[in-house]
């Protein structure tokens, strides 16, 4: 049963600390997305990659957030320094190539981040 | 710009009632995809259905059915004979087709409470 995995599932940290969230996409999926869910903003796109190259990171605060795909099996989202307003659930999703006949995004379980 | 509107913030029904969740979308693209996701209290996002813009056939899957109408830019979701396990937040989402941007634009969600 192929799934997107995310670690950690929960993270509590103090303001100013660095936070790294990891995602393992489904094998064979070449498109990876990072979304953030908050009560105020709902679900919003932070960044996405295709074949490990960033295609859109316009949703990310560039001064403190960074997203990378060191290899095809790992995507990372880093916040440095973290702030209380970054508290949210961060979802990773992966999907099949755009040219494929089927295009669904499958979501990981999310990382619930609390910054105090 | 794309936009998805779910005007119903919260719906409460009694078990066995039928319920329809509304979704209205806006896009300038001629090719696009529409989705429904379910977010149960556990927090994960579960893919339910994808519909292509060129396929207006309605779809039924067990107790779930979807009505896609391009003329009114709507993609409504009906649950027949609702059950307590259907209690969740349901999100409608939209993405571009072709080789364009594939990130999802989500609606604000409809919280469905099914009372026993």
């Amino acid at each position: 049963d192929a799934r997107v995995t995310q670690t950690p599932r929960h993270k509590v940290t103090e303001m100013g600390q660095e936070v790294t969230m990891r995602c393992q996409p489904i094998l064979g999926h070449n498109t990876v997305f990072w979304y953030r869910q908050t009560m105020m903003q709902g679900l919003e796109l932070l960044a996405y990659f295709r074949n490990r190259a960033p295609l859109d990171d316009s949703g990310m605060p560039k001064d403190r957030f960074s997203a990378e795909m060191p290899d095809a099996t790992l995507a990372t989202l880093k916040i440095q320094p973290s702030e209380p307003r970054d508290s949210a659930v961060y979802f990773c999703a992966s999907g099949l190539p755009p040219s494929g006949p089927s295009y669904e995004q499958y979501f990981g379980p999310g990382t619930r981040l609390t910054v105090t | 710009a794309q936009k998805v509107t779910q005007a119903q913030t919260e719906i409460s029904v009694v078990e066995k009632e039928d319920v329809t969740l509304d979704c209205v979308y806006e896009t300038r693209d001629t090719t696009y995809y529409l989705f429904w996701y379910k977010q149960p209290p556990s927090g994960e996002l579960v893919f339910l259905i994808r519909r292509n813009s060129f396929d207006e056939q309605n779809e039924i899957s067990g107790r779930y059915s979807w009505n896609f109408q391009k003329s009114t830019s709507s993609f409504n979701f009906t649950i027949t004979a609702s059950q307590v396990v259907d209690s969740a937040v349901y999100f409608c989402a939209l993405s571009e087709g072709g080789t364009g941007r594939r990130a999802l634009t989500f609606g604000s969600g409809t919280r469905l409470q099914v009372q026993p």
Side-chain angles (χ1 to χ4, degrees):
Chain A
D1 184 22
R3 295 187 183 202
V4 176
T5 58
Q6 289 185 250
T7 56
R9 293 292 309 277
H10 302 273
K11 176 73 175 179
V12 180
T13 191
E14 292 183 350
M15 183 173 64
Q17 296 298 305
E18 178 178 301
V19 175
T20 299
M21 290 169 270
R22 294 177 174 80
C23 166
Q24 183 172 12
I26 293 173
L27 194 63
H29 284 191
N30 75 338
T31 312
V32 175
F33 303 82
W34 285 103
Y35 293 90
R36 176 170 63 183
Q37 185 176 31
T38 61
M39 291 295 294
M40 294 300 295
Q41 301 297 327
L43 277 156
E44 53 183 353
L45 176 76
L46 294 176
Y48 86 102
F49 294 77
R50 184 172 299 154
N51 294 323
R52 297 173 55 199
L55 287 194
D56 186 347
D57 61 1
S58 57
M60 280 198 324
K62 300 290 192 306
D63 56 337
R64 299 184 300 108
F65 283 60
S66 62
E68 295 180 344
M69 278 199 77
D71 61 59
T73 64
L74 177 65
T76 62
L77 180 66
K78 191 174 294 186
I79 308 174
Q80 168 62 25
S82 57
E83 297 180 1
R85 59 181 166 148
D86 301 329
S87 298
V89 180
Y90 291 81
F91 287 102
C92 174
S94 71
L96 289 168
S99 57
S102 171
Y103 186 71
E104 292 88 45
Q105 291 183 28
Y106 294 93
F107 283 76
T111 294
R112 182 176 295 277
L113 173 65
T114 303
V115 183
T116 60
Chain B
Q2 298 180 327
K3 186 178 178 183
V4 177
T5 301
Q6 295 180 256
Q8 303 151 308
T9 306
E10 187 160 347
I11 300 175
S12 183
V13 299
V14 177
E15 215 171 10
K16 296 193 175 65
E17 283 186 33
D18 298 347
V19 57
T20 295
L21 310 181
D22 298 332
C23 173
V24 174
Y25 62 91
E26 296 175 30
T27 180
R28 293 197 189 114
D29 299 312
T30 54
T31 302
Y32 51 89
Y33 296 91
L34 294 162
F35 303 79
W36 277 94
Y37 283 84
K38 173 182 180 180
Q39 187 173 42
S42 53
E44 73 268 30
L45 281 160
V46 179
F47 166 79
L48 295 178
I49 190 171
R50 172 185 61 95
R51 179 54 85 215
N52 307 333
S53 55
F54 44 85
D55 180 4
E56 284 194 74
Q57 271 194 327
N58 291 330
E59 180 150 342
I60 297 175
S61 175
R63 296 184 297 107
Y64 295 171
S65 62
W66 290 269
N67 183 357
F68 176 29
Q69 291 196 338
K70 285 179 81 168
S71 59
T72 56
S73 297
S74 64
F75 185 43
N76 297 337
F77 173 28
T78 297
I79 302 175
T80 302
S82 61
Q83 300 176 2
V84 173
V85 293
D86 296 327
S87 297
V89 180
Y90 291 86
F91 292 94
C92 181
L94 168 71
S95 76
E96 291 179 2
T99 56
R101 174 186 169 92
R102 287 305 183 98
L104 293 170
T105 299
F106 285 90
S108 54
T110 298
R111 181 178 298 277
L112 174 65
Q113 303 254 24
V114 182
Q115 309 289 346

